[in-house]
Amino acid sequence: MRALLLGLAITLPATAALAETLPIGELRRGMMAVVEGNVERITDEDEFILADKTGDIRIYIGPNAMPVRPGDLVRVEGFVDDGIRMEIYADTITLADGRTVTLPRRY
């Protein structure tokens, strides 16, 4: 099933503002980024782990409903936190079916 999900990466719609996707392993603190990968697990009511072939990272969604499930292929746009633990503060999450979930910044 994972191979099938990875094949969907080509079909995710590009976003206008930040269309270029970066490998998770190349992320740097303090940058805006777009990453794609599989949801490995939900770690809390407001965060999950996203993984690609280069690594994994926590995705923080704030006080919003969890829009993903383990195994989902998603694209995440947001800010790579410059705190102690590297994580992305998500602005939008695009699901494999093309739906985009916008997360208001209420951190």
Side-chain angles (χ1 to χ4, degrees):
M1 180 147 180
R2 172 170 268 201
L4 176 63
L5 289 175
L6 290 175
L8 294 175
I10 300 169
T11 65
L12 286 174
T15 57
L18 297 171
E20 187 171 336
T21 304
L22 292 172
I24 291 171
E26 293 182 15
L27 296 176
R28 300 293 173 252
R29 296 175 190 278
M31 69 185 301
M32 293 299 293
V34 178
V35 294
E36 281 182 9
N38 287 311
V39 176
E40 288 288 305
R41 68 184 182 280
I42 308 299
T43 56
D44 202 349
E45 63 188 24
D46 59 2
E47 67 182 23
F48 61 91
I49 302 295
L50 186 72
D52 67 11
K53 64 183 179 182
T54 67
D56 60 42
I57 190 164
R58 289 182 186 272
I59 306 295
Y60 180 73
I61 65 165
N64 299 286
M66 183 61 66
V68 300
R69 295 177 305 200
D72 286 354
L73 175 68
V74 298
R75 174 184 302 219
V76 176
E77 296 182 32
F79 176 74
V80 182
D81 187 27
D82 57 0
I84 295 171
R85 177 176 61 178
M86 189 184 301
E87 63 186 350
I88 294 177
Y89 281 53
D91 290 326
T92 62
I93 298 174
T94 303
L95 307 173
D97 66 5
R99 289 180 295 140
T100 298
V101 177
T102 301
L103 304 165
R105 283 197 176 235
R106 294 182 291 174
Y107 305 121

